[in-house]
Amino acid sequence: MLTVQEFVQNISEDFKKVFPEVSIENSFIRLGTGLTHVELPINSMYKEYQVADFESIKRLYIKISNEILNQYKFRVDYNNVYPILKHTDFGNNAKIQFYRKRAFEDLDVLYVADMTDVFRFFTIDDDVDYNLLEQKAIENISKMTAALVPLNKGMQVYTLKYSTDYASSLLLSQSMDKQIKKKVGDDILIAVPSNSFILVAKFSYSNMELLKYLVEKDNDPNKVSDAVYRRKNGIYTKVLKGDRGKG
């Protein structure tokens, strides 16, 4: 009969052939698949092993663990997936890796499932069709309607009429892009202080300074970027401090 240490070592090695994450933590063996985990009590498993055989106990706990993990496995509803703009530094220190694509300059596009009360970010370990995810996310955000209006009367700086968690995402919408071109033009300034607030203005030195000031004053905790960007002929560049806006 195996000792407790031998039992734990042997069954852990066999678990590693089935589960992507296996670790021993205190009196538990922890099994996982991406974001979902299950903890198996070593003492209980060893007691069962003492009245049965090793292979039976191994198969039993593999079956139990798979049932638990599959129960909580994330299932994608492609009707509720959306793109979200985030700074390239966002999530870099997390234990998981978010699925992301470069948007422009130092901003990335991440993808979320809208679960009513929370956003669930997609990771590189999710069992999803990423091409379909990107396609549906853009289709879904393009269905949203939002009016672009002057920030203040007489001011040539525009924002969304109503606040929304998808304000930054709407910059990726074709319908919003058409609205921007119609109201503001092709040579524009864009600021994304937070996910719920965007600023768009016709390119000029005075508007550049105004947007920089407005970004600095924005106190939304869900920061995206402190920068101001220029888009000319579809190409984005970051407006640097002291830039006089030539060209």
Side-chain angles (χ1 to χ4, degrees):
M1 181 174 289
L2 299 172
T3 65
V4 174
Q5 290 79 10
E6 291 170 336
F7 173 80
V8 171
Q9 181 178 350
N10 288 358
I11 204 165
S12 295
E13 289 303 315
D14 285 339
F15 282 156
K16 289 177 182 177
K17 298 174 184 177
V18 180
F19 303 99
E21 299 175 25
V22 178
S23 62
I24 301 168
E25 299 181 9
N26 298 321
S27 58
F28 295 90
I29 296 179
R30 194 168 190 257
L31 309 177
T33 54
L35 301 177
T36 310
H37 295 85
V38 60
E39 292 182 337
L40 304 177
I42 292 173
N43 289 339
S44 297
M45 293 171 63
Y46 187 69
K47 286 179 181 178
E48 292 179 44
Y49 155 71
Q50 290 176 311
V51 295
D53 63 276
F54 180 84
E55 289 299 319
S56 296
I57 296 302
K58 181 185 73 175
R59 287 196 298 270
L60 173 64
Y61 278 94
I62 287 176
K63 180 176 181 293
I64 291 172
S65 299
N66 272 324
E67 287 176 352
I68 294 173
L69 292 171
N70 288 331
Q71 178 182 355
Y72 294 102
K73 186 176 180 180
F74 178 61
R75 292 174 176 81
V76 184
D77 179 358
Y78 289 102
N79 293 318
N80 288 315
V81 297
Y82 298 92
I84 291 284
L85 284 181
K86 288 291 185 182
H87 196 274
T88 51
D89 291 340
F90 176 79
N92 285 347
N93 295 323
K95 292 182 180 179
I96 56 176
Q97 286 185 274
F98 297 120
Y99 180 71
R100 64 207 303 158
K101 291 290 187 72
R102 182 57 56 90
F104 54 85
E105 288 293 312
D106 54 359
L107 295 184
D108 285 348
V109 181
L110 280 74
Y111 298 87
V112 299
D114 189 335
M115 304 177 76
T116 306
D117 295 325
V118 295
F119 286 154
R120 195 276 195 186
F121 284 88
F122 285 91
T123 75
I124 61 173
D125 296 318
D126 284 324
D127 183 17
V128 299
D129 182 333
Y130 293 109
N131 290 329
L132 182 60
L133 173 66
E134 292 179 30
Q135 175 191 330
K136 289 297 184 180
I138 293 299
E139 286 180 5
N140 293 337
I141 198 64
S142 295
K143 293 175 184 176
M144 289 189 176
T145 57
L148 198 65
V149 297
L151 184 63
N152 284 309
K153 189 175 181 179
M155 186 180 289
Q156 293 184 327
V157 174
Y158 293 81
T159 190
L160 297 183
K161 186 174 183 178
Y162 299 108
S163 179
T164 169
D165 290 334
Y166 293 109
S168 68
S169 307
L170 285 163
L171 289 172
L172 304 170
S173 162
Q174 292 181 356
S175 58
M176 178 56 67
D177 190 52
K178 291 178 181 177
Q179 192 177 169
I180 289 173
K181 288 179 178 177
K182 182 178 180 180
K183 293 185 177 181
V184 189
D186 290 318
D187 190 0
I188 62 173
L189 296 167
I190 294 176
V192 193
S194 63
N195 283 122
S196 58
F197 185 42
I198 60 170
L199 295 165
V200 181
K202 186 176 180 64
F203 176 76
S204 71
Y205 175 69
S206 59
N207 282 342
M208 186 190 306
E209 293 302 309
L210 178 56
L211 260 62
K212 288 178 182 178
Y213 172 80
L214 292 172
V215 168
E216 290 175 0
K217 294 300 179 183
D218 182 65
N219 56 7
D220 192 311
N222 297 312
K223 281 287 183 184
V224 174
S225 175
D226 292 326
V228 175
Y229 306 90
R230 180 184 183 183
R231 189 182 75 184
K232 183 179 181 182
N233 299 325
I235 299 174
Y236 289 87
T237 54
K238 186 187 291 188
V239 174
L240 303 176
K241 190 174 182 179
D243 192 336
R244 298 295 298 183
K246 294 180 180 180

